[in-house]
Amino acid sequence: MSGKLIKALVAIVVVAFAAAYLGSPVLASQALVKAAKAGDEAALDRLVDFPAFRTSLKEELNARLVAEMRADLGDSGRGNVLSGLGMILAPSLISGAVDAFVNAPAIASMVRTAEAPATTPTGRVTPPPAEKAADEDKVRRSYGYRDLNTFVVTLRRDDKPNEQVDLLMQRRGLFAWKLAGIDLTPPTE
């Protein structure tokens, strides 16, 4: 009898560990959304790895800007000369702007509105617009694993179904998660 009891207890422990291990990002991402809706900056500071998030956002915005400028230059590469100059200067402009405006209120605004910062053709970064209370009702969230250590919170607005913002939660230890990246790549369909 004691052998069966030990096996049952081991099975319960394994199942509980697996449930906690796989379910912890859901709880962390829901805590992130709740903190963003409440404007709880202290909770957002705990839930966001700001240096990693800023680096990820810089990479995404630089990639998006380079793609736009290449399209502007055209296939021959003889397009607008200012686009070429912009490709050279844009990374430093984007870096400074992202460092300046990515903070807890900006993260909260992105989560509430599903609006990511944008770049202008000159490389200037514009933060997400100030939201209206009604905008929160237009945001749909979905959750899923990208890999075992990356959990994605996909934000999509009802009025912009072809645009989405993927917030990347990274595992920190066994059960802790932090927002550490963003993916602005449009979904391929």
Side-chain angles (χ1 to χ4, degrees):
M1 179 83 173
S2 67
K4 289 183 180 182
L5 182 62
I6 291 174
K7 287 180 183 179
L9 288 175
V10 168
I12 289 171
V13 168
V14 168
V15 168
F17 177 81
Y21 188 79
L22 297 173
S24 59
V26 174
L27 297 175
S29 59
Q30 289 176 346
L32 177 74
V33 170
K34 182 179 177 184
K37 285 183 175 184
D40 186 349
E41 291 184 26
L44 287 169
D45 285 339
R46 286 189 309 272
L47 293 166
V48 179
D49 179 349
F50 282 101
F53 187 84
R54 286 183 183 110
T55 298
S56 176
L57 183 58
K58 289 173 191 177
E59 290 169 359
E60 289 291 318
L61 292 176
N62 278 324
R64 183 177 275 186
L65 186 63
V66 167
E68 290 172 5
M69 288 182 177
R70 281 195 177 135
D72 189 34
L73 284 171
D75 293 333
S76 67
R78 295 185 189 177
N80 187 348
V81 174
L82 289 177
S83 289
L85 181 60
M87 285 177 70
I88 295 169
L89 299 176
S92 61
L93 295 173
I94 287 173
S95 179
V98 167
D99 288 340
F101 86 81
V102 172
N103 53 26
I107 298 287
S109 179
M110 279 194 287
V111 171
R112 285 193 300 256
T113 64
E115 297 272 339
T119 56
T120 64
T122 61
R124 193 170 142 250
V125 177
T126 58
E131 72 277 354
K132 302 173 202 136
D135 282 351
E136 289 184 40
D137 298 333
K138 297 177 183 177
V139 176
R140 300 290 169 244
R141 293 170 196 83
S142 59
Y143 307 91
Y145 278 95
R146 185 166 283 178
D147 59 48
L148 198 56
N149 295 316
T150 306
F151 191 78
V152 181
V153 180
T154 299
L155 307 171
R156 185 174 282 135
R157 294 176 59 89
D158 289 340
D159 56 343
K160 298 178 184 178
N162 295 331
E163 296 178 22
Q164 72 182 40
V165 174
D166 288 341
L167 301 177
L168 308 176
M169 306 282 291
Q170 295 287 321
R171 187 181 299 276
R172 302 288 196 255
L174 284 176
F175 304 110
W177 292 81
K178 283 197 171 199
L179 176 61
I182 188 168
D183 187 356
L184 301 175
T185 308
T188 54
E189 295 175 12

